[in-house]
Amino acid sequence: MFYVFPRAIKPDICEQIIQDCKQNILERALVVNPDQSSRDDPEIRKTAVHFIKDKDNKVNGLAWHFLREANKLQFNYDLTYFQAIQFAEYKDGGFYGWHQDASGIDPNNETRKLSLSLILSDPNTFEGGELQFYNGGKQLEDMGDVTGEQIKKDIAAQGTVVVFDSRDWHRVQPVTKGVRYSIVCWTVGPNFK
């Protein structure tokens, strides 16, 4: 289950976010284990990332706005806070295999509930890198007057914000040409009952 805000962020703002974030050192992304430890696993994930920990960064306001709006319109989850935003760079075959963002039950009785993905790159500057959701092998269903094909185009468009349940299986297909930049973040709240 996801909610799409097509082309919600203007291209010039996306490009500025890329330039600001590229000034930071990007590190190889790790995969989180069930026990919350992490490991480098290039069979599952090949991405470089940087976490935006500056609470005054304008990206935080953008992300929190869209997370709250999607939650109000579709999910109605009890949200407490969102974690540091991750800037991601996918190039040279970069990908992230099928995974869920929800981290399960923890000692503090909280879990990731909603995930956000913002495509920063112009899709004409890279190939591959499609954000996909597992739907039991079925095609994306039409939603009202919007077709599944239009939803796919919207999800791939620069400036599109996608908010989805952190328990949903999803992946980023390998980037075969160019560089794909994105922002991702997660909300946290009390465990689902």
Side-chain angles (χ1 to χ4, degrees):
M1 177 166 53
F2 55 87
Y3 195 91
V4 180
F5 298 93
R7 298 166 192 81
I9 309 297
K10 294 180 182 177
D12 60 323
I13 294 173
C14 290
E15 295 299 330
Q16 187 60 56
I17 293 170
I18 292 171
Q19 294 312 311
D20 291 347
C21 289
K22 281 175 52 178
Q23 293 178 29
N24 298 295
I25 296 172
L26 301 178
E27 298 178 0
R28 190 174 181 105
L30 301 176
V31 175
V32 178
N33 298 315
D35 67 0
Q36 301 306 304
S37 64
S38 55
R39 71 185 189 285
D40 182 13
D41 190 339
E43 297 295 315
I44 296 174
R45 186 177 193 186
K46 181 182 173 190
T47 317
V49 299
H50 170 74
F51 284 93
I52 301 171
K53 297 180 180 175
D54 173 15
K55 293 191 186 291
D56 294 328
N57 191 299
K58 64 185 173 193
V59 178
N60 286 312
L62 286 172
W64 192 233
H65 165 76
F66 288 107
L67 284 162
R68 284 188 303 209
E69 190 66 19
N71 191 47
K72 180 174 70 175
L73 294 168
Q74 180 152 341
F75 300 96
N76 296 308
Y77 292 161
D78 182 6
L79 306 177
T80 309
Y81 63 94
F82 73 87
Q83 296 173 311
I85 291 174
Q86 182 184 92
F87 172 74
E89 175 186 76
Y90 293 84
K91 65 180 182 180
D92 302 326
F95 75 101
Y96 196 169
W98 288 115
H99 67 284
Q100 297 170 294
D101 293 337
S103 54
I105 296 173
D106 77 2
N108 297 323
N109 290 319
E110 52 186 29
T111 189
R112 287 180 175 171
K113 291 195 165 183
L114 291 178
S115 299
L116 175 144
S117 178
L118 162 58
I119 305 304
L120 296 171
S121 298
D122 178 339
N124 296 318
T125 63
F126 68 95
E127 292 178 9
E130 180 182 357
L131 172 63
Q132 297 179 331
F133 293 92
Y134 182 72
N135 193 23
K138 299 179 279 188
Q139 296 294 320
L140 281 175
E141 296 178 20
D142 295 350
M143 296 180 172
D145 60 351
V146 180
T147 66
E149 283 305 310
Q150 183 60 49
I151 293 167
K152 283 184 184 179
K153 287 179 187 174
D154 287 341
I155 288 174
Q158 182 179 33
T160 291
V161 177
V162 182
V163 178
F164 55 96
D165 188 306
S166 297
R167 298 171 292 182
D168 288 348
W169 287 92
H170 59 286
R171 69 179 174 183
V172 176
Q173 288 284 71
V175 170
T176 57
K177 183 178 176 183
V179 183
R180 175 193 187 268
Y181 294 105
S182 63
I183 291 287
V184 295
C185 66
W186 313 271
T187 61
V188 175
N191 284 328
F192 291 105
K193 297 193 190 288

